[in-house]
Amino acid sequence: MKLIHILGPAMLYTNTFLVLTDAGHAVAIDPAAAPQRYLDQLEQNHAVLTHILLTHGHYDHVGAVGALQKATGAKVYLEPADRQGSQMFPLASADAAYPADGRLTVDELTFTVWRTPGHTPGSVCLYCNGYLFSGDTLFAGSCGRTDLPGGSTADMRRSLSLLAELPLPADTRVLPGHGEDTTLGEEKRHNPYMMGAWF
């Protein structure tokens, strides 16, 4: 597995990722930068994009989806609740929701999917090989806002409680949708939102 971080455009600077498998396939997570940046990385690494995984449907996380799907035929995963076709949620459709059993396998990699509504009704967090792609659910020292359309403080509380109880190692790298990465152990110990202090 090879992980490539591609930063989205100013001013939102969305964290986006390419995950490359040993078999030469690639998974794009929240592709929001210029599509050519992903295509260039795919060419340089002799990889074929087969999956696009979205942590949620907000515009700043899906900007490159249409172009990448057109160029590669990759299958797009997004929960139905976030397929709204609106300004905030631009995608009106996707190829699939995440599997009901919360497991998605791409070659040697297995992504474990937890549904974590709160920031949006269709938010998910994805775990693979020591990395937790937390979207806008969990940030370093903070969490996603809940005052946008579809947000819910009560749902966010439940989702953060779920993440706090995950049977994952403390050194699991948390790769959020914005800002610096962190570890799950650090957030469990020091993140006041994850500890429920503000609810």
Side-chain angles (χ1 to χ4, degrees):
M1 169 183 166
K2 180 178 181 180
L3 180 68
I4 300 171
H5 176 216
I6 299 175
L7 192 63
M11 300 270 292
L12 296 169
Y13 298 111
T14 306
N15 291 319
T16 82
F17 305 92
L18 279 176
V19 180
L20 309 183
T21 76
D22 294 341
H25 296 133
V27 176
I29 298 177
D30 288 351
Q36 194 61 45
R37 295 182 64 189
Y38 304 94
L39 296 174
D40 288 346
Q41 286 290 343
L42 292 168
E43 182 177 3
Q44 291 171 24
N45 288 276
H46 308 289
V48 176
L49 185 66
T50 57
H51 294 71
I52 298 173
L53 308 184
L54 303 174
T55 63
H56 63 293
H58 276 165
Y59 68 94
D60 57 324
H61 291 255
V62 306
V65 170
L68 289 178
Q69 188 177 36
K70 182 177 181 180
T72 66
K75 189 173 183 178
V76 178
Y77 286 79
L78 175 65
E79 289 293 276
D82 280 11
R83 303 177 201 169
Q84 299 183 17
S86 64
Q87 184 174 1
M88 184 68 74
F89 297 88
L91 297 184
S93 63
D95 296 307
Y98 288 100
D101 66 358
R103 294 174 65 83
L104 179 65
T105 299
V106 183
D107 296 334
E108 81 280 6
L109 303 179
T110 296
F111 291 85
T112 302
V113 184
W114 287 283
R115 290 167 173 84
T116 54
H119 180 63
T120 72
S123 288
V124 302
C125 292
L126 308 165
Y127 174 80
C128 183
N129 279 26
Y131 295 98
L132 182 68
F133 302 91
S134 62
D136 286 3
T137 296
L138 178 63
F139 298 139
S142 187
C143 70
R145 59 190 295 181
T146 61
D147 60 339
L148 297 173
S152 167
T153 299
D155 285 345
M156 180 64 84
R157 179 181 63 236
R158 287 188 285 269
S159 292
L160 293 175
S161 294
L162 182 153
L163 294 180
E165 295 168 3
L166 292 180
L168 297 176
D171 63 354
T172 296
R173 297 303 304 179
V174 177
L175 303 179
H178 303 274
E180 299 298 318
D181 65 339
T182 181
T183 66
L184 192 58
E186 176 72 13
E187 299 314 303
K188 286 182 178 181
R189 288 190 299 269
H190 300 296
N191 188 325
Y193 299 92
M194 201 168 191
M195 298 162 65
W198 68 287
F199 291 108

